Structures are given as C-alpha cells and as structure tokens.
C-alpha cells in the first residue's frame, strides 16, 4: 500500500480489535531486508488495517445490543468480545462498500444517512 494512503488511513481509522488510534510504523520483516510502512496498533501490539471509527462504534453497539457471539467455542472474556467486534466491523465494512457508502477516502458523509450514531 502507498505510504501516503497509509498516513491518510491512520488519521481517520481505528483498530478493529480495541478501537484505539493507529500509527504508521516502519516494520522490518526480517533481518536480511524487507521493510515497509504499515498501520500498527500500539495497544494491541499488532499490524492492523483498521476500520472507520463510525463502523467501529456501530459494531460495538451491535455486539452489545444483540449479544452477538461468532466465536461460541471460545470462552467469554475481553478477547472474545474484541474478536466479535472485529468480525462485525468486517461485515459492516463489506456492506458499506457494496452500498457505495464508503470508498478509499472513507465514509461518504454527504449521503442521506445518519452517521452521527452514538452508542
């Protein structure tokens, strides 16, 4: 991915797991070379593509409201909750792309929808 696009994305997107702010970091893939700029979540300690903040808030509210549990064989806890929110972020992101409510610049806020969603 283009480093400029990564910088733009880190400004508006959050981590799918924790909802934290992402950072652009230079990641060295191995000691023999190969590095690149990646989006990184310092809270989770992982490389993360992220999701739009509005989608994260919707996903979090959905998981809490309907007690969504995609990972039924996993014990309940914070990790299970984070993975469920991340799964719904993926589903909502797909829906937004299919409905053309989102593009590479983020959510199209001038569309006639209520994006001032608060949880």
């Amino acid at each position: 991915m283009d480093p400029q696009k990564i910088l733009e994305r880190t400004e508006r997107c959050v981590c799918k797991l924790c909802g934290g702010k992402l950072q652009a970091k230079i990641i060295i893939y191995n000691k023999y070379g190969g590095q690149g700029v990646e989006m990184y979540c310092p809270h989770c300690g992982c490389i993360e593509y992220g999701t739009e903040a509005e989608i994260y808030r919707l996903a979090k509210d959905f998981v809490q409201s309907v007690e969504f549990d995609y990972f039924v064989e996993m014990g309940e806890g914070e990790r299970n909750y984070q993975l469920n929110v991340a799964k719904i972020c993926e589903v909502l992101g797909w829906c937004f792309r299919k409905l053309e409510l989102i593009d590479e610049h983020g959510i199209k806020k001038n569309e006639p929808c209520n994006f001032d969603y608060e949880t």
Side-chain angles (χ1 to χ4, degrees):
M1 182 182 265
D2 177 36
Q4 184 60 36
K5 288 185 180 182
I6 288 175
L7 291 174
E8 291 171 7
R9 196 163 169 79
T10 57
E11 290 298 315
R12 70 173 197 275
C13 292
V14 297
C15 175
K16 282 188 262 186
L17 292 172
C18 72
K21 186 165 173 48
L22 297 173
Q23 298 175 350
K25 290 244 183 197
I26 295 175
I27 305 293
I28 299 171
Y29 301 118
N30 63 50
K31 65 182 181 179
Y32 302 108
Q35 72 272 350
V37 178
E38 298 282 355
M39 290 177 281
Y40 176 80
C41 177
H43 181 263
C44 295
C46 62
I47 296 172
E48 173 65 56
Y49 186 69
T51 190
E52 304 294 328
E54 296 88 345
I55 290 177
Y56 180 82
R57 286 195 305 269
L58 281 168
K60 190 173 173 183
D61 187 44
F62 179 83
V63 169
Q64 291 172 349
S65 297
V66 299
E67 298 178 8
F68 178 79
D69 190 7
Y70 184 80
F71 304 95
V72 291
E73 295 188 11
M74 183 181 214
E76 289 187 30
E78 184 64 23
R79 183 70 175 163
N80 178 277
Y81 175 74
Q82 288 177 334
L83 290 171
N84 281 304
V85 171
K87 179 57 76 178
I88 295 301
C89 283
E90 292 172 9
V91 171
L92 289 174
W94 181 87
C95 291
F96 276 46
R97 281 189 303 279
K98 285 294 185 182
L99 295 170
E100 297 180 359
L101 296 174
I102 194 170
D103 62 14
E104 67 273 1
H105 302 293
I107 292 175
K108 298 177 183 176
K109 295 190 180 200
N110 59 352
E111 297 293 325
C113 294
N114 181 15
F115 288 107
D116 295 326
Y117 189 83
E118 294 292 326
T119 57

